[in-house]
Structure formats: C-alpha cells, structure tokens
Amino acid sequence: DAGVIQSPRHEVTEMGQEVTLRCKPISGHDYLFWYRQTMMRGLELLIYFNNNVPIDDSGMPEDRFSAKMPNASFSTLKIQPSEPRDSAVYFCASRREGDQPQHFGDGTRLSIL
Amino acid sequence: EDQVTQSPEALRLQEGESSSLNCSYTVSGLRGLFWYRQDPGKGPEFLFTLYSAGEEKEKERLKATLTKKESFLHITAPKPEDSATYLCAVRGAGGGNKLTFGTGTQLKVEL
C-alpha cells in the first residue's frame, strides 16, 4: 500500500504570501490529522478530520490557518498570510477507525522569509 | 490535560551497548501509548501500541513495556541503524482521537 503522500516536500516563500500544503491519506483510512513540528514545541496537533468532517480544530494557532478535506483522498492546509514564525515541518497522518495507530507522511518543510 | 515527558533528551551508545529510553505520562483514562521512530527528514514511523500496565511488545532489538505511570523502550545490542529519534505519545479518554507527543529521545549508536 502507498503511504501518506504530502506535497510539496519543501516550500520557501516570503512573508505575507499564501501557502497551501497538500495531503493524500492512505486509502480506506477514516481519520486525517495535520501536525506541526518545531524544535521548541515538538509535534503539535493542529486539526483532525473524520470521514472528511473537521472534528477538532482547537490546535489551529490563528485565523490565518485553515484546513479542508473535500473528499476522502485529499486534504489541504492553508496559511494566509504567512509569517516567519510559521516556519516548521508540517505533517499529515491518517488512520483507520478504531484503536489503530496513525501513519505519517514525510512532511513539508516550510520556510517563511 | 495529557502530558508526556521523555528522557534522556539525547543518548549516545556504542554498538552492542544495551539501554532504555523512558516515557513518563499523565493522562485521564489511557486509551493507548504509542512509540514511533523518526529518521531525519522523514515522518514518524509507528513501532508499538501498549494499552494496559504490564503489557509488553517486541520487535527485533526493541522491547516496549508499560506501567501505570511510564513506559520504557529497551534497546538490546543496538546497531548503528537504530540511530533515530524515538517519540512517545498517549491517547487519553478525554482527548478524543488526539495524540499528545513527547519531545523525543535522540539516539545515536556508534561503531
């Protein structure tokens, strides 16, 4: 089975620009999670979806962040406008229903100049 | 609020030198404790899930154990390819489907 696929792998952009990160979960997985990883704070959950519906977005830092899941095979995380403090590695993960582990993609390394 | 603390932050071992990594946690109603391995530039890779005190899981040179307050990841006769950051996470009854991660132990195994 193909794993979780994220794109782009690296993104460098200037402050104020819109950034869109993309994720394709593992086929058949019902849950999709977006995380942010930094040296200072480690892995932090931003938002998760169940059957394409956002369930908990309490980790989304500000209104500048938004996430969508238009169908079972695609999700986006958007930052508009971007700021240098948004620089981090963003991971997407998915899992099946029940007490199953989450499986992670290889992340998008985002640098905001 | 669920909390996870991992120690040590970094560990350097010689090949063949066994050791243990610690994960201390506080959670209301444990629904699972997870160990992941993360290589540089990669996403976390799932290793084990433990659900109740006394449970143990093994995979090659790794063995995970669980008590009511902590989990240990024992590494027996490590090899250089075991070098990675090891992450611990918990899922609590009050957190829905959320995992709370520790900041990890960075392990380096030298020849």
Side-chain angles (χ1 to χ4, degrees):
Chain A
D1 280 342
V4 175
I5 299 171
Q6 292 187 246
S7 65
R9 289 297 317 278
H10 303 274
E11 175 87 17
V12 180
T13 192
E14 293 193 347
M15 182 175 66
Q17 296 298 305
E18 178 178 292
V19 173
T20 299
L21 311 182
R22 296 172 176 79
C23 175
K24 177 180 170 56
I26 295 172
S27 178
H29 282 196
D30 303 295
Y31 288 85
L32 183 140
F33 303 81
W34 282 101
Y35 289 87
R36 178 170 66 178
Q37 187 176 42
T38 61
M39 290 292 292
M40 292 295 295
R41 301 175 66 92
L43 263 172
E44 299 176 287
L45 178 67
L46 300 176
I47 185 172
Y48 78 89
F49 296 81
N50 180 211
N51 293 325
N52 313 338
V53 177
I55 303 299
D56 184 350
D57 65 355
S58 60
M60 296 285 261
E62 300 171 33
D63 290 346
R64 298 184 297 106
F65 285 69
S66 63
K68 294 182 179 179
M69 192 165 185
N71 57 63
S73 59
F74 183 66
S75 178
T76 60
L77 178 68
K78 188 172 293 186
I79 308 173
Q80 167 62 21
S82 57
E83 296 182 4
R85 61 192 167 121
D86 301 331
S87 298
V89 182
Y90 290 80
F91 288 101
C92 176
S94 70
R95 72 165 176 83
R96 293 185 188 282
E97 187 67 66
D99 286 334
Q100 299 295 319
Q102 294 180 20
H103 296 274
F104 285 76
D106 282 337
T108 295
R109 182 173 294 277
L110 178 63
S111 297
I112 309 297
L113 307 177
Chain B
E1 185 178 323
D2 301 341
Q3 290 188 328
V4 177
T5 303
Q6 292 189 246
S7 62
E9 288 186 10
L11 181 63
R12 184 169 291 196
L13 300 174
Q14 295 296 119
E15 185 175 14
E17 180 186 2
S18 301
S19 188
S20 297
L21 313 182
N22 177 264
C23 170
S24 297
Y25 65 92
T26 55
V27 64
S28 54
L30 182 69
R31 293 184 60 185
L33 184 140
F34 302 82
W35 282 99
Y36 285 83
R37 168 194 171 126
Q38 187 173 21
D39 292 297
K42 298 287 189 178
E45 176 188 349
F46 170 71
L47 294 173
F48 305 109
T49 309
L50 301 167
Y51 293 102
S52 57
E55 189 175 0
E56 299 181 351
K57 293 270 180 77
E58 282 189 71
K59 180 180 179 179
E60 296 181 354
R61 295 177 293 282
L62 300 177
K63 178 179 173 180
T65 62
L66 182 65
T67 72
K68 289 185 178 180
K69 294 183 178 180
E70 57 192 350
S71 177
F72 292 93
L73 185 65
H74 306 279
I75 305 176
T76 302
K79 299 181 178 182
E81 53 261 43
D82 295 322
S83 297
T85 296
Y86 291 85
L87 297 168
C88 172
V90 295
R91 181 181 173 193
N97 290 283
K98 177 182 177 180
L99 289 186
T100 300
F101 280 84
T103 52
T105 293
Q106 190 172 359
L107 173 67
K108 182 159 179 64
V109 182
E110 299 172 330
L111 291 170

